[in-house]
Amino acid sequence: MRILLTGSSGWLGRFLGPRLRAAGHAVTGLDIAPGLETDVLGSVADRGLIDRVFAEQGIEAVIHGGALHKPDIARYPPQHFIDVNMTGTLNLLEAATAAGHDRFVFTSTTSLMISDAIRRETADHAVWLDEESGPLSPRNIYGVTKLGAEGLCRLHHLEHGLACVVLRTARFFPEEDDTHHDLTGENMKANEFLNRRGTVEDMAEAHLRALERAPAIGFATYVVSAPTPFRREEAEELKRDAAAVITRHFPEAPALYAARGWRLPASIGRVYDAGLAERALGFRAKTDFAVVLAALKAGTALPFAHDPDYVSPKEVGGSAA
């Protein structure tokens, strides 16, 4: 298929583009910033540009990964989020519908599932988050606009029959966390494979699977994350004494962490459950916490990216329009 990949210069796009081509697809990358996977420079908010790309490239399917993200809140006003995350998504959906497409994959985020109460971890248990969680109350303009864009996808399926698969991706960014600094970056990322992280390679593979399955699915939303080792009945203990639960599942973890000078989490306040993606899409992330521990034990490279100096290509270019 001839696929339009938005956000092609971003962290996901630079992995997804080659994976799509390896699967036999012709890829047109669109981004506001130049990159190896980008063929067209411009914004998804520019409807004229979108229509030209569709016509000139004969686009047959869309994977929409371009967006403003949570760290961008400090850099751009709310209107930019509406223009890019909502109007941009609407532009692509309308163009795909007009072209008679049978599939559309939208990169969403688990962040929109995190209310202020969940973020502050006020519950006496780890909050279990899956596709049935709700009502959803996003805590910032990023989450609000991504949830709105999900609604546009659902509406285009209902009104026009466009098959849309929404992937709520867990954390997979390579840079340091922009709000938590109590652990080293690698230690924090390793911990998050227990409950809310995946690798960019796994995220790319999930998008390919969604692209293949979309026409048979129609419309669906899936949480995409490393599979958690925990069970729902462990939720209270995870909040009270996460290290004890982790050690029960992974007896070698405390010693492996100690050898590296790392700390296991004392408390876990939320758990992403990616089970539906495994059952419905046939997708299960290859990298999980057990794989991380295996790398620690073998003394090999960690199976995830960590780059404290990573800067979004759009920031290098200096524009989010």
Side-chain angles (χ1 to χ4, degrees):
M1 285 184 292
R2 293 185 291 274
I3 297 170
L4 176 62
L5 171 63
T6 71
S8 51
S9 294
W11 182 242
L12 176 63
R14 67 183 67 179
F15 287 85
L16 185 50
R19 183 66 188 87
L20 288 166
R21 288 196 302 275
H25 300 294
V27 182
T28 297
L30 184 148
D31 203 296
I32 60 170
L36 294 177
E37 300 301 322
T38 295
D39 307 284
V40 179
L41 288 176
S43 172
V44 293
D46 183 345
R47 179 57 189 268
L49 173 65
I50 296 301
D51 289 341
R52 289 196 299 275
V53 171
F54 268 66
E56 293 172 1
Q57 302 299 324
I59 299 300
E60 298 172 299
V62 175
I63 296 181
H64 179 27
L68 287 182
H69 298 281
K70 189 262 184 182
D72 293 315
I73 293 173
R75 297 187 282 258
Y76 301 102
Q79 186 63 53
H80 278 56
F81 283 81
I82 293 171
D83 294 343
V84 175
N85 293 359
M86 293 193 67
T87 301
T89 301
L90 180 61
N91 286 341
L92 292 163
L93 287 165
E94 289 183 342
T97 298
H101 289 186
D102 68 345
R103 68 197 74 195
F104 188 103
V105 178
F106 176 59
T107 310
S108 190
T109 173
T110 51
S111 179
L112 64 80
M113 304 167 69
I114 310 303
S115 65
D116 185 62
I118 293 174
R119 182 187 64 82
R120 290 186 290 110
E121 300 186 356
T122 59
D124 63 357
H125 60 278
V127 178
W128 208 265
L129 294 164
D130 61 15
E131 294 78 6
E132 300 301 317
S133 297
L136 300 177
S137 300
R139 68 190 189 279
N140 53 42
I141 189 64
Y142 171 52
V144 166
T145 53
K146 293 298 274 189
L147 183 58
E150 287 189 6
L152 293 173
C153 291
R154 178 183 57 82
L155 196 62
H156 269 70
H157 171 67
L158 291 175
E159 294 185 346
H160 306 288
L162 178 62
C164 295
V165 175
V166 174
L167 299 181
R168 289 181 182 166
T169 59
R171 292 174 160 217
F172 63 91
F173 55 79
E175 64 265 38
E176 299 283 3
D177 189 287
D178 65 339
T179 55
H180 301 287
H181 307 286
D182 57 327
L183 294 176
T184 65
E186 288 183 334
N187 187 171
M188 178 173 286
K189 285 181 171 64
N191 287 357
E192 289 174 342
F193 276 90
L194 288 160
N195 65 314
R196 61 171 182 169
R197 179 168 283 274
T199 65
V200 65
E201 293 88 353
D202 279 331
M203 296 300 168
E205 193 63 29
H207 281 73
L208 185 65
R209 192 67 55 89
L211 181 74
E212 295 167 348
R213 295 277 296 138
I217 290 170
F219 176 82
T221 300
Y222 301 108
V223 171
V224 182
S225 185
T228 182
F230 305 130
R231 302 183 301 272
R232 286 179 184 261
E233 55 266 30
E234 295 174 309
E236 289 188 9
E237 190 180 1
L238 280 170
K239 182 63 184 298
R240 184 178 66 251
D241 189 356
V245 183
I246 296 165
T247 301
R248 186 162 64 240
H249 285 277
F250 305 99
E252 291 182 301
L256 290 171
Y257 263 50
R260 189 134 183 161
W262 285 3
R263 285 185 286 145
L264 290 169
S267 176
I268 288 178
R270 72 189 80 156
V271 174
Y272 297 154
D273 183 349
L276 182 60
E278 184 171 353
R279 297 189 297 274
L281 285 179
F283 169 78
R284 181 181 175 89
K286 292 181 179 179
T287 301
D288 58 12
F289 189 68
V291 174
V292 174
L293 290 183
L296 292 178
K297 185 175 182 178
T300 55
L302 292 170
F304 57 84
H306 175 67
D307 181 3
D309 297 321
Y310 177 82
V311 178
S312 169
K314 75 178 188 308
E315 297 312 307
V316 175
S319 172

